[in-house]
C-alpha cells in the first residue's frame, strides 16, 4: 500500500504541476464558481454541454496542490461523458472521500478516482479535493451564486 500511496502522490503532484484542461472556455454554456471558506481558494468550472454530453470542460482558479490536481483529474474524467455519467462520477468520488479511511478501496472500480483515497485521513483536505467536484455539479445545475464546500 505504501508503493501505491507514493504512486498516487506522484500523480497528484504531476496534475498539480501540469494541470489538464486549465483555462477559460469561451464557448461554455454552463459555468460556476466554487470556494473553500477554510482557505479562501476559488475555482471556476466551465462546461460546453450539448445534447446531454459534456463536449468540453475547463477550469481556472488558484488553490493548493490537492484542489488543482483534483480539478485536473475531474476534467479528464468528465470530458466526453454524458451529464448523467458525470453525476455518477461525482457520487463515486463523494462516497470515496467521505467514507472511513479504513474502508476497503476497490481500485479497479474507482480507476483514476482512487488517487484521492488518501485524503480520507485528512478532513480539511477532503474539502480541497471536493472543491472542483462540487463546482462541477453547481455548473451542471446552472447555479449562479458561488458555491462553498461548507
Ligand atoms: Fe485551499 Fe486546499 S488549501 S483548496
Amino acid at each position: 500500500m505504501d508503493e501505491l500511496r507514493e504512486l498516487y502522490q506522484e500523480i497528484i503532484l504531476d496534475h498539480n504541476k501540469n494541470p489538464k484542461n486549465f483555462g477559460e472556455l469561451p464557448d461554455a454554456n454552463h459555468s460556476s464558481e466554487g470556494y473553500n471558506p477554510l482557505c479562501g481558494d476559488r475555482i471556476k468550472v466551465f462546461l460546453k454541454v450539448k445534447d446531454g454530453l459534456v463536449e468540453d470542460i475547463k477550469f481556472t482558479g488558484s488553490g493548493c496542490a490537492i484542489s488543482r490536481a483534483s480539478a485536473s483529474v475531474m476534467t479528464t474524467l468528465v470530458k466526453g461523458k454524458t451529464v448523467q455519467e458525470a453525476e455518477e462520477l461525482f457520487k463515486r468520488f463523494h462516497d470515496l472521500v467521505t467514507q472511513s479511511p479504513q474502508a476497503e478501496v476497490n481500485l479497479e472500480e474507482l480507476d483514476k478516482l482512487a488517487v484521492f483515497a488518501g485524503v480520507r485521513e485528512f478532513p480539511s483536505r477532503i474539502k480541497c479535493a471536493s472543491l472542483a467536484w462540487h463546482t462541477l455539479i453547481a455548473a451542471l445545475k446552472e447555479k449562479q451564486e458561488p458555491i462553498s464546500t461548507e
Side-chain angles (χ1 to χ4, degrees):
M1 191 66 194
D2 273 355
E3 260 177 48
L4 207 54
R5 196 174 285 206
E6 267 175 41
L7 172 69
Y8 288 168
Q9 210 112 44
E10 261 175 51
I11 294 173
I12 288 174
L13 290 176
D14 187 47
H15 273 273
N16 173 49
K17 237 166 102 184
N18 305 300
K20 308 280 184 288
N21 304 306
F22 185 79
E24 299 209 351
L25 191 61
D27 56 348
N29 52 9
H30 290 252
S31 66
S32 192
E33 182 175 24
Y35 77 102
N36 181 351
L38 292 183
C39 59
D41 287 334
R42 285 174 186 268
I43 190 175
K44 272 190 185 171
V45 171
F46 305 91
L47 298 156
K48 186 177 167 198
V49 180
K50 201 173 161 211
D51 300 330
L53 198 76
V54 180
E55 286 190 343
D56 209 354
I57 177 167
K58 286 198 170 207
F59 77 99
T60 60
S62 61
C64 62
I66 302 258
S67 68
R68 210 166 139 99
S70 183
S72 174
V73 170
M74 181 276 285
T75 59
T76 62
L77 287 172
V78 166
K79 198 169 179 171
K81 298 281 192 321
T82 65
V83 169
Q84 195 185 338
E85 286 168 333
E87 287 170 351
E88 278 161 18
L89 276 165
F90 166 76
K91 191 177 174 314
R92 277 165 60 197
F93 171 83
H94 190 259
D95 288 350
L96 168 70
V97 297
T98 54
Q99 70 185 182
S100 151
Q102 281 78 41
E104 200 64 37
V105 173
N106 185 335
L107 299 178
E108 228 167 277
E109 194 187 305
L110 283 168
D111 192 22
K112 282 187 195 167
L113 288 178
V115 300
F116 296 103
V119 304
R120 297 177 302 175
E121 292 166 43
F122 310 99
S124 66
R125 293 320 223 166
I126 294 174
K127 293 197 189 301
C128 303
S130 307
L131 181 58
W133 287 91
H134 284 294
T135 312
L136 163 73
I137 294 301
L140 286 172
K141 293 191 184 333
E142 310 230 40
K143 290 223 166 118
Q144 298 305 320
E145 70 282 5
I147 64 108
S148 135
T149 52
E150 282 304 294

